[in-house]
Amino acid sequence: MEQLLQETLAAFEKEYGRKPQWVVTAPGRVNVIGEHTDYNDGFVFPMAIERGVVIAAAPAVSGDEVPQGKAKIFSIAKKKSALVALGGNIRPYDYVRWFDYVQGVIAGALQEEGNWQVPSFVAVIHSNVPLGGGLSSSAALEVATATLLEAILEKKMDPVRKALLCQKAEHEFAKMPCGIMDQFISVMGKKDHLMLLDCRSCEPTMIPFTAQEYSILITNSKVKHALSGSEYPERRSSCHTAAEKLGVASLREVSKEQLEAGKERLTDQQYRRARHVVGEIERTVAAADAIKKGDYETLGQRMYASHQSLRDDFEVSCRELDILVEIAQKIGLAGGVYGSRMTGGGFGGCTVSLIQTAKMNEIIATLRKEYQQQTQIEPEIFVTRPAQGAEIIDN
Ligand code: GLA
């Protein structure tokens, strides 16, 4: 993140000819286990990663030519600027533009915090979370924006409210009906900890992950996922219909036995979707218990089981993700891999693997070589420790 920070500061000076007054960061995330459970009131088990978004900003001055009531944001990735509104009636646009994540958070914050007056500012945005890689690049941008507002206004939002505000921006301005996981972990992530989040009560429990002998390896299949398509909302509504037919508020309320007993009321597809969710909630709680006991083998087994269920019952994997998990499984415990699974919404993006740190280089080399042989795609592979959530940086 240090390099990202320095690049952002340099770009700010180049763009605006002075130093920024506020600098904030927000991390992306990887979900270790607990997939497609957040919008079913279940458990998720993500951690913040050592990659994220940095925003540097300063009050606008006349030379910046920023109209009153607007902010000018420059994206290093897009190599262009956009104006976002800081007041008035801000409505979502009919399609999603790159700066709508920023605009959505500002619109929501102004609406919720009735008395907030944000002065005109200029900003530079920089990120090293791969876009469409399933590591929550958009949540990181939303949470960084909310953190920037806190810095500018010298106000601190309640963390749950802050995360929900960012989720709302994602729903309304990015038109993606996500659950709460990504924004919660980007706000509340803690260095050296995983977060077991109960999505029914919104209560996080931070669980230490400090054993240096184990590492979290992220492999980007480079297949871009697009979750705002119909697949994600369809999965969501299947789950809700299944819960309704079973007479409960959410699939969190259903045990395996109840699901079997109510099977007749569901279509085969709804049954399989529900079976994934009910099993995944159980696996997530078991995985968190296993980490607490230092039982990494059990954790790894749960990760493989999660992948299988996402592939066969929930049907959100893809060939490339399956290939990555198969290679990991073939390396196996003897080669230092404990478990592996697709992470995030699916249909592309990344896998997450739990590995023995000492065998990291061999594992990376094998994954790279075999994946490339089978798909002709060069994957991006990196290791990360659990990182800190969003922060205002003194500069
Ligand atoms: C996306 C959503 C999350 C969650 C995951 C699947 O990342 O943004 O809320 O539903 O998919 O676990």
Side-chain angles (χ1 to χ4, degrees):
M1 287 301 285
E2 187 51 38
Q3 189 191 341
L4 192 74
L5 185 63
Q6 293 311 325
E7 287 170 7
T8 315
L9 297 179
F12 188 93
E13 282 214 57
K14 185 161 167 253
E15 195 60 25
Y16 304 113
R18 60 191 189 276
K19 288 193 188 313
Q21 181 167 329
W22 308 287
V23 182
V24 297
T25 69
R29 64 101 186 93
V30 66
N31 190 18
V32 174
I33 192 164
E35 220 64 86
H36 290 276
T37 47
D38 60 351
Y39 54 81
N40 289 299
D41 281 353
F43 285 91
V44 292
F45 200 29
M47 63 181 227
I49 58 174
E50 292 160 318
R51 289 192 178 207
V53 166
V54 175
I55 307 181
V61 295
S62 57
D64 295 327
E65 293 174 9
V66 180
Q68 263 233 318
K70 304 261 178 190
K72 184 176 176 181
I73 55 174
F74 177 80
S75 155
I76 295 186
K78 299 274 168 201
K79 299 195 184 66
K80 57 182 174 199
S81 298
L83 289 176
V84 293
L86 301 173
N89 182 20
I90 311 173
R91 310 286 329 143
Y93 209 64
D94 38 7
Y95 60 89
V96 184
R97 303 159 302 180
W98 66 268
F99 51 92
D100 277 324
Y101 302 91
V102 175
Q103 184 67 87
V105 171
I106 293 173
L110 295 177
Q111 202 180 34
E112 296 227 339
E113 315 283 334
N115 56 350
W116 277 16
Q117 302 248 327
V118 185
S120 273
F121 65 89
V122 293
V124 165
I125 295 176
H126 197 15
S127 172
N128 58 4
V129 188
L131 291 182
L135 300 177
S136 292
S137 51
S138 57
L141 179 52
E142 289 149 5
V143 172
T145 304
T147 309
L148 177 66
L149 295 180
E150 291 179 309
I152 294 177
L153 299 171
E154 295 182 6
K155 294 199 158 86
K156 185 115 188 74
M157 272 182 242
D158 166 70
V160 170
R161 259 179 88 116
K162 183 176 172 185
L164 293 175
L165 171 79
C166 293
Q167 183 203 25
K168 190 165 166 236
E170 180 83 35
H171 284 193
E172 293 177 1
F173 282 72
K175 304 185 193 334
M176 151 62 180
C178 62
I180 64 170
M181 166 168 66
D182 309 346
Q183 291 79 10
F184 267 69
I185 186 66
S186 186
V187 171
M188 293 173 215
K190 197 167 160 205
K191 193 174 180 323
D192 290 331
H193 288 75
L194 303 182
M195 179 174 79
L196 180 68
L197 176 62
D198 180 338
C199 300
R200 183 168 61 187
S201 63
C202 289
E203 211 173 302
T205 306
M206 304 312 293
I207 298 180
F209 180 81
T210 44
Q212 299 294 323
E213 311 91 276
Y214 304 96
S215 292
I216 297 292
L217 185 78
I218 297 176
T219 307
N220 188 350
S221 69
K222 294 271 190 72
V223 177
K224 284 213 175 179
H225 77 159
L227 289 182
S228 49
S230 58
E231 299 283 7
Y232 188 92
E234 257 170 43
R235 294 302 182 284
R236 230 189 132 126
S237 75
S238 274
C239 292
H240 290 166
T241 310
E244 222 170 89
K245 286 187 176 175
L246 295 168
V248 289
S250 73
L251 291 177
R252 167 73 177 275
E253 317 300 331
V254 180
S255 67
K256 273 193 172 144
E257 296 70 30
Q258 283 166 318
L259 177 62
E260 290 311 316
K263 192 174 171 184
E264 300 302 302
R265 278 179 263 165
L266 308 178
T267 63
D268 174 59
Q269 193 185 61
Q270 286 160 353
Y271 167 71
R272 285 186 294 113
R273 302 293 189 248
R275 183 165 66 182
H276 163 73
V277 173
V278 172
E280 185 77 355
I281 292 174
E282 199 178 280
R283 282 188 287 277
T284 305
V285 175
D289 267 352
I291 281 213
K292 281 192 219 150
K293 294 188 193 125
D295 179 359
Y296 291 87
E297 281 191 36
T298 297
L299 170 61
Q301 289 308 321
R302 294 295 187 278
M303 291 170 79
Y304 285 131
S306 164
H307 185 79
Q308 202 176 15
S309 170
L310 286 159
R311 183 189 65 201
D312 302 339
D313 276 354
F314 216 66
E315 296 177 289
V316 290
S317 186
C318 64
R319 184 178 150 259
E320 291 82 357
L321 291 171
D322 295 343
I323 289 175
L324 283 172
V325 172
E326 278 158 25
I327 301 169
Q329 210 153 7
K330 213 170 80 192
I331 300 172
L333 264 185
V337 177
Y338 284 79
S340 185
R341 56 180 288 277
M342 57 152 274
T343 186
F347 307 105
C350 297
T351 62
V352 57
S353 308
L354 175 69
I355 64 161
Q356 205 181 327
T357 309
K359 306 241 170 84
M360 180 168 81
N361 291 339
E362 296 92 303
I363 294 169
I364 293 178
T366 309
L367 272 169
R368 186 181 303 282
K369 186 166 138 251
E370 297 201 2
Y371 183 66
Q372 217 162 341
Q373 266 169 8
Q374 293 188 53
T375 63
Q376 280 75 54
I377 304 172
E378 195 185 336
E380 185 194 357
I381 310 180
F382 61 95
V383 153
T384 177
R385 309 274 340 151
Q388 190 65 26
E391 287 177 294
I392 299 173
I393 294 178
D394 285 328
N395 71 309

